[in-house]
PDB file of all heavy atoms in Angstrom:
ATOM      1  N   THR D 157     -46.972  -3.936 -27.431  1.00 98.00           N
ATOM      2  CA  THR D 157     -45.681  -3.305 -27.729  1.00 98.00           C
ATOM      3  C   THR D 157     -44.549  -4.121 -27.114  1.00 98.00           C
ATOM      4  O   THR D 157     -44.702  -4.709 -26.035  1.00 98.00           O
ATOM      5  CB  THR D 157     -45.610  -1.860 -27.202  1.00 98.00           C
ATOM      6  OG1 THR D 157     -45.956  -1.860 -25.818  1.00 98.00           O
ATOM      7  CG2 THR D 157     -46.552  -0.939 -27.950  1.00 98.00           C
ATOM      8  N   LEU D 158     -43.455  -4.129 -27.836  1.00 97.00           N
ATOM      9  CA  LEU D 158     -42.210  -4.730 -27.347  1.00 97.00           C
ATOM     10  C   LEU D 158     -41.191  -3.620 -27.171  1.00 97.00           C
ATOM     11  O   LEU D 158     -41.179  -2.654 -27.952  1.00 97.00           O
ATOM     12  CB  LEU D 158     -41.663  -5.725 -28.369  1.00 97.00           C
ATOM     13  CG  LEU D 158     -42.488  -6.967 -28.651  1.00 97.00           C
ATOM     14  CD1 LEU D 158     -41.863  -7.746 -29.810  1.00 97.00           C
ATOM     15  CD2 LEU D 158     -42.558  -7.845 -27.402  1.00 97.00           C
ATOM     16  N   ARG D 159     -40.350  -3.741 -26.165  1.00 97.00           N
ATOM     17  CA  ARG D 159     -39.277  -2.756 -25.979  1.00 97.00           C
ATOM     18  C   ARG D 159     -37.947  -3.465 -26.201  1.00 97.00           C
ATOM     19  O   ARG D 159     -37.631  -4.431 -25.519  1.00 97.00           O
ATOM     20  CB  ARG D 159     -39.384  -2.126 -24.590  1.00 97.00           C
ATOM     21  CG  ARG D 159     -40.748  -1.455 -24.436  1.00 97.00           C
ATOM     22  CD  ARG D 159     -40.894  -0.842 -23.092  1.00 97.00           C
ATOM     23  NE  ARG D 159     -40.318   0.496 -23.053  1.00 97.00           N
ATOM     24  CZ  ARG D 159     -40.057   1.137 -21.914  1.00 97.00           C
ATOM     25  NH1 ARG D 159     -40.279   0.552 -20.756  1.00 97.00           N
ATOM     26  NH2 ARG D 159     -39.573   2.353 -21.949  1.00 97.00           N
ATOM     27  N   GLU D 160     -37.242  -2.967 -27.185  1.00 98.00           N
ATOM     28  CA  GLU D 160     -36.013  -3.640 -27.621  1.00 98.00           C
ATOM     29  C   GLU D 160     -34.811  -2.701 -27.496  1.00 98.00           C
ATOM     30  O   GLU D 160     -34.970  -1.480 -27.617  1.00 98.00           O
ATOM     31  CB  GLU D 160     -36.178  -4.076 -29.082  1.00 98.00           C
ATOM     32  CG  GLU D 160     -37.334  -5.048 -29.242  1.00 98.00           C
ATOM     33  CD  GLU D 160     -37.574  -5.462 -30.689  1.00 98.00           C
ATOM     34  OE1 GLU D 160     -36.973  -4.844 -31.588  1.00 98.00           O
ATOM     35  OE2 GLU D 160     -38.371  -6.393 -30.882  1.00 98.00           O
ATOM     36  N   PRO D 161     -33.625  -3.273 -27.302  1.00 98.00           N
ATOM     37  CA  PRO D 161     -32.439  -2.407 -27.210  1.00 98.00           C
ATOM     38  C   PRO D 161     -32.251  -1.608 -28.496  1.00 98.00           C
ATOM     39  O   PRO D 161     -32.487  -2.120 -29.587  1.00 98.00           O
ATOM     40  CB  PRO D 161     -31.275  -3.385 -27.007  1.00 98.00           C
ATOM     41  CG  PRO D 161     -31.804  -4.744 -27.313  1.00 98.00           C
ATOM     42  CD  PRO D 161     -33.298  -4.698 -27.148  1.00 98.00           C
ATOM     43  N   VAL D 162     -31.823  -0.360 -28.364  1.00 98.00           N
ATOM     44  CA  VAL D 162     -31.620   0.479 -29.543  1.00 98.00           C
ATOM     45  C   VAL D 162     -30.462  -0.040 -30.385  1.00 98.00           C
ATOM     46  O   VAL D 162     -30.420   0.195 -31.585  1.00 98.00           O
ATOM     47  CB  VAL D 162     -31.436   1.957 -29.114  1.00 98.00           C
ATOM     48  CG1 VAL D 162     -30.117   2.185 -28.409  1.00 98.00           C
ATOM     49  CG2 VAL D 162     -31.568   2.907 -30.276  1.00 98.00           C
ATOM     50  N   GLY D 163     -29.532  -0.775 -29.764  1.00 98.00           N
ATOM     51  CA  GLY D 163     -28.469  -1.408 -30.546  1.00 98.00           C
ATOM     52  C   GLY D 163     -27.078  -1.105 -30.030  1.00 98.00           C
ATOM     53  O   GLY D 163     -26.819  -1.177 -28.832  1.00 98.00           O
ATOM     54  N   VAL D 164     -26.192  -0.753 -30.952  1.00 99.00           N
ATOM     55  CA  VAL D 164     -24.808  -0.413 -30.598  1.00 99.00           C
ATOM     56  C   VAL D 164     -24.777   1.065 -30.216  1.00 99.00           C
ATOM     57  O   VAL D 164     -25.234   1.922 -30.975  1.00 99.00           O
ATOM     58  CB  VAL D 164     -23.856  -0.674 -31.782  1.00 99.00           C
ATOM     59  CG1 VAL D 164     -22.453  -0.150 -31.472  1.00 99.00           C
ATOM     60  CG2 VAL D 164     -23.810  -2.159 -32.111  1.00 99.00           C
ATOM     61  N   VAL D 165     -24.236   1.334 -29.036  1.00 99.00           N
ATOM     62  CA  VAL D 165     -24.271   2.692 -28.496  1.00 99.00           C
ATOM     63  C   VAL D 165     -22.847   3.231 -28.356  1.00 99.00           C
ATOM     64  O   VAL D 165     -21.972   2.544 -27.820  1.00 99.00           O
ATOM     65  CB  VAL D 165     -24.951   2.685 -27.110  1.00 99.00           C
ATOM     66  CG1 VAL D 165     -24.985   4.087 -26.541  1.00 99.00           C
ATOM     67  CG2 VAL D 165     -26.349   2.105 -27.189  1.00 99.00           C
ATOM     68  N   GLY D 166     -22.629   4.453 -28.816  1.00 99.00           N
ATOM     69  CA  GLY D 166     -21.372   5.159 -28.572  1.00 99.00           C
ATOM     70  C   GLY D 166     -21.566   6.111 -27.404  1.00 99.00           C
ATOM     71  O   GLY D 166     -22.540   6.866 -27.376  1.00 99.00           O
ATOM     72  N   GLN D 167     -20.668   6.059 -26.447  1.00 99.00           N
ATOM     73  CA  GLN D 167     -20.811   6.903 -25.257  1.00 99.00           C
ATOM     74  C   GLN D 167     -19.526   7.703 -25.051  1.00 99.00           C
ATOM     75  O   GLN D 167     -18.435   7.134 -25.009  1.00 99.00           O
ATOM     76  CB  GLN D 167     -21.119   6.037 -24.036  1.00 99.00           C
ATOM     77  CG  GLN D 167     -22.390   5.201 -24.241  1.00 99.00           C
ATOM     78  CD  GLN D 167     -22.796   4.414 -23.021  1.00 99.00           C
ATOM     79  OE1 GLN D 167     -21.945   3.850 -22.327  1.00 99.00           O
ATOM     80  NE2 GLN D 167     -24.089   4.347 -22.753  1.00 99.00           N
ATOM     81  N   ILE D 168     -19.678   9.003 -24.916  1.00 99.00           N
ATOM     82  CA  ILE D 168     -18.526   9.906 -24.789  1.00 99.00           C
ATOM     83  C   ILE D 168     -18.697  10.675 -23.484  1.00 99.00           C
ATOM     84  O   ILE D 168     -19.721  11.332 -23.274  1.00 99.00           O
ATOM     85  CB  ILE D 168     -18.482  10.877 -25.988  1.00 99.00           C
ATOM     86  CG1 ILE D 168     -18.360  10.082 -27.296  1.00 99.00           C
ATOM     87  CG2 ILE D 168     -17.333  11.875 -25.835  1.00 99.00           C
ATOM     88  CD1 ILE D 168     -18.557  10.910 -28.555  1.00 99.00           C
ATOM     89  N   ILE D 169     -17.714  10.565 -22.604  1.00 98.00           N
ATOM     90  CA  ILE D 169     -17.888  11.106 -21.245  1.00 98.00           C
ATOM     91  C   ILE D 169     -16.780  12.094 -20.881  1.00 98.00           C
ATOM     92  O   ILE D 169     -15.700  12.071 -21.465  1.00 98.00           O
ATOM     93  CB  ILE D 169     -17.980   9.970 -20.203  1.00 98.00           C
ATOM     94  CG1 ILE D 169     -16.751   9.063 -20.259  1.00 98.00           C
ATOM     95  CG2 ILE D 169     -19.268   9.179 -20.406  1.00 98.00           C
ATOM     96  CD1 ILE D 169     -16.678   8.061 -19.124  1.00 98.00           C
ATOM     97  N   PRO D 170     -17.053  12.955 -19.884  1.00 98.00           N
ATOM     98  CA  PRO D 170     -16.086  13.977 -19.491  1.00 98.00           C
ATOM     99  C   PRO D 170     -15.215  13.525 -18.317  1.00 98.00           C
ATOM    100  O   PRO D 170     -15.291  12.392 -17.858  1.00 98.00           O
ATOM    101  CB  PRO D 170     -16.987  15.133 -19.079  1.00 98.00           C
ATOM    102  CG  PRO D 170     -18.146  14.451 -18.438  1.00 98.00           C
ATOM    103  CD  PRO D 170     -18.340  13.142 -19.177  1.00 98.00           C
ATOM    104  N   TRP D 171     -14.440  14.474 -17.798  1.00 98.00           N
ATOM    105  CA  TRP D 171     -13.388  14.198 -16.831  1.00 98.00           C
ATOM    106  C   TRP D 171     -13.747  14.600 -15.408  1.00 98.00           C
ATOM    107  O   TRP D 171     -12.960  14.415 -14.500  1.00 98.00           O
ATOM    108  CB  TRP D 171     -12.131  14.962 -17.256  1.00 98.00           C
ATOM    109  CG  TRP D 171     -12.434  16.359 -17.747  1.00 98.00           C
ATOM    110  CD1 TRP D 171     -12.516  16.761 -19.052  1.00 98.00           C
ATOM    111  CD2 TRP D 171     -12.748  17.520 -16.953  1.00 98.00           C
ATOM    112  NE1 TRP D 171     -12.860  18.102 -19.119  1.00 98.00           N
ATOM    113  CE2 TRP D 171     -13.009  18.596 -17.845  1.00 98.00           C
ATOM    114  CE3 TRP D 171     -12.824  17.766 -15.582  1.00 98.00           C
ATOM    115  CZ2 TRP D 171     -13.345  19.882 -17.414  1.00 98.00           C
ATOM    116  CZ3 TRP D 171     -13.164  19.047 -15.154  1.00 98.00           C
ATOM    117  CH2 TRP D 171     -13.418  20.076 -16.061  1.00 98.00           C
ATOM    118  N   ASN D 172     -14.914  15.210 -15.175  1.00 98.00           N
ATOM    119  CA  ASN D 172     -15.170  15.752 -13.829  1.00 98.00           C
ATOM    120  C   ASN D 172     -15.578  14.682 -12.823  1.00 98.00           C
ATOM    121  O   ASN D 172     -15.278  14.791 -11.633  1.00 98.00           O
ATOM    122  CB  ASN D 172     -16.171  16.910 -13.872  1.00 98.00           C
ATOM    123  CG  ASN D 172     -17.461  16.581 -14.581  1.00 98.00           C
ATOM    124  OD1 ASN D 172     -17.530  15.627 -15.362  1.00 98.00           O
ATOM    125  ND2 ASN D 172     -18.485  17.359 -14.323  1.00 98.00           N
ATOM    126  N   PHE D 173     -16.295  13.650 -13.303  1.00 98.00           N
ATOM    127  CA  PHE D 173     -16.601  12.472 -12.480  1.00 98.00           C
ATOM    128  C   PHE D 173     -16.335  11.244 -13.365  1.00 98.00           C
ATOM    129  O   PHE D 173     -17.279  10.603 -13.836  1.00 98.00           O
ATOM    130  CB  PHE D 173     -18.067  12.485 -12.023  1.00 98.00           C
ATOM    131  CG  PHE D 173     -18.420  13.623 -11.107  1.00 98.00           C
ATOM    132  CD1 PHE D 173     -18.856  14.836 -11.610  1.00 98.00           C
ATOM    133  CD2 PHE D 173     -18.295  13.480  -9.726  1.00 98.00           C
ATOM    134  CE1 PHE D 173     -19.171  15.896 -10.766  1.00 98.00           C
ATOM    135  CE2 PHE D 173     -18.604  14.525  -8.876  1.00 98.00           C
ATOM    136  CZ  PHE D 173     -19.041  15.737  -9.397  1.00 98.00           C
ATOM    137  N   PRO D 174     -15.074  10.926 -13.584  1.00 98.00           N
ATOM    138  CA  PRO D 174     -14.762   9.951 -14.644  1.00 98.00           C
ATOM    139  C   PRO D 174     -15.448   8.592 -14.451  1.00 98.00           C
ATOM    140  O   PRO D 174     -16.008   8.046 -15.394  1.00 98.00           O
ATOM    141  CB  PRO D 174     -13.240   9.828 -14.560  1.00 98.00           C
ATOM    142  CG  PRO D 174     -12.788  11.107 -13.932  1.00 98.00           C
ATOM    143  CD  PRO D 174     -13.865  11.513 -12.980  1.00 98.00           C
ATOM    144  N   LEU D 175     -15.390   8.056 -13.246  1.00 98.00           N
ATOM    145  CA  LEU D 175     -16.001   6.738 -12.998  1.00 98.00           C
ATOM    146  C   LEU D 175     -17.524   6.845 -12.994  1.00 98.00           C
ATOM    147  O   LEU D 175     -18.224   6.019 -13.591  1.00 98.00           O
ATOM    148  CB  LEU D 175     -15.509   6.197 -11.649  1.00 98.00           C
ATOM    149  CG  LEU D 175     -16.064   4.824 -11.259  1.00 98.00           C
ATOM    150  CD1 LEU D 175     -15.457   3.738 -12.135  1.00 98.00           C
ATOM    151  CD2 LEU D 175     -15.805   4.526  -9.784  1.00 98.00           C
ATOM    152  N   LEU D 176     -18.034   7.863 -12.334  1.00 98.00           N
ATOM    153  CA  LEU D 176     -19.492   8.002 -12.205  1.00 98.00           C
ATOM    154  C   LEU D 176     -20.138   8.253 -13.567  1.00 98.00           C
ATOM    155  O   LEU D 176     -21.218   7.717 -13.853  1.00 98.00           O
ATOM    156  CB  LEU D 176     -19.818   9.142 -11.234  1.00 98.00           C
ATOM    157  CG  LEU D 176     -21.298   9.343 -10.926  1.00 98.00           C
ATOM    158  CD1 LEU D 176     -21.902   8.093 -10.294  1.00 98.00           C
ATOM    159  CD2 LEU D 176     -21.494  10.544  -9.995  1.00 98.00           C
TER     160      LEU D 176
END
Side-chain angles (χ1 to χ4, degrees):
T157 53
L158 295 173
R159 301 179 85 195
E160 299 177 349
V162 70
V164 173
V165 180
Q167 302 185 319
I168 300 170
I169 57 171
W171 41 260
N172 53 341
F173 295 89
L175 180 71
L176 184 60

